[in-house]
Amino acid sequence: MPLTTDTTSAQNTTATTKTARAAAEEDCEAPEKQTLSPSSADGDTIRAIKNREGEKRKLIVGVDQNSYRWGYRNPNSGKTAELEGFDIDLVRRIAEDILGDPDAVQFKAIPTDQRIPAIKDGRVDMVVRTMTINCDRIADVAFSAPYFKTGQQVLASKSSPVKGYDDTLAGRRICTAAGSTAYSTLEADKKDGGLPASTDISTTVPNQLDCLVRLQLGEVDAVVTDGALAASQAAQDPTVQLKGDAFTAEYYGVAMKKDADDLVRRVNQILVDYRKDTANGWQASYDQWLSATLGKDAKKSEPPAPQYLRTS
């Protein structure tokens, strides 16, 4: 059967998109700008989600359940079975747009180092889990435009002589989550001399909250993680505090399969609308969940205006 004009056009668009993405990956300098332009159109990926039958007709999303105010079970809410937080609000907004119901979500709690495998293996449709967009990861998964800005920071006991990401880390034991941006940054800095040679970065854990426990037990001297997460951990434990300023600039994105172009475009359209919604959008979620730990000035955490790959 000969190809229709629509089919040929779709194939050409897909080929052009793949070419643009491959070129961007090869010359990766600003990974947060390497995403597809917004669209509300349904494609194969979204249709497959909508065609799930009965109770299975849900968006399957990998999240955290232990990150305070991001994705966690609030013991004080009376609804300990329900997840809450900034990331969870975004997930529900995506589900509402695609399936017409903010509760049409199957949450899957996954550790930090399983975020990419869960996407590639098809266990989840997407991951919304304080996941930094970086050049290594865009080789494996596709990202939305950024939805949050943060940076790596040091967390340590208030009485600790550690002052930040500097020479005071010499001889200190640092904890990071396996598969995290923090660990890859520390590993690179150890090799390049940007971190004291005597700094011990061998302690890694499956989930970021485990680092706080190690710090509380005295098994490590400091934690390195995203400042946004570190601030939430400091709010949970008044004996620890952020040390020094953020030493990187990073952006969280929604991660999806590489070939799920229609889903990536749809999520990007949702993010555009989410940021414009002053009543129930990005700002309202920030005010509810993060202003107490990160401050009322949300501008510091707002991602830049999105930029998209040129595919034509």
Side-chain angles (χ1 to χ4, degrees), residues 9 19 38 42 49 54 61 76 115 126 133 163 189-190 192 194 216 241 289 298 310:
S9 177
T19 300
D42 287 0
I49 293 170
V61 186
N76 300 317
R115 291 177 297 188
M126 61 182 63
I133 306 167
K163 295 181 179 179
D189 285 351
K190 278 271 285 186
D192 297 341
Q216 292 167 332
Q241 66 180 181
W289 299 112
R310 294 183 179 180

Side-chain angles (χ1 to χ4, degrees), residues 1 13 16 40 56 66 87 139 148 157 166 231 272 278 299 308:
M1 180 181 295
T13 299
T16 304
S40 296
K56 293 183 178 180
N66 297 309
D87 277 347
F148 201 85
S157 168
D166 54 29
V272 170
T278 56
K299 295 292 184 184
Y308 308 106

Side-chain angles (χ1 to χ4, degrees), residues 100-180:
D101 181 358
D103 295 323
V105 183
Q106 179 184 348
F107 291 108
K108 287 194 173 184
I110 53 176
T112 303
D113 63 355
Q114 286 300 304
R115 291 177 297 188
I116 288 177
I119 295 169
K120 295 177 73 173
D121 295 346
R123 285 177 275 154
V124 297
D125 298 317
M126 61 182 63
V127 167
V128 185
R129 194 189 181 284
T130 57
M131 189 168 178
T132 298
I133 306 167
N134 65 34
C135 293
D136 288 339
R137 290 172 179 165
I138 63 171
D140 293 313
V141 298
F143 279 98
S144 70
Y147 68 86
F148 201 85
K149 179 182 178 181
T150 185
Q152 297 295 317
Q153 280 188 268
V154 175
L155 183 73
S157 168
K158 287 182 177 179
S159 60
S160 171
V162 171
K163 295 181 179 179
Y165 196 71
D166 54 29
D167 290 344
T168 61
L169 291 175
R172 306 294 175 184
R173 300 161 298 172
I174 300 179
C175 181
T176 58
S180 67

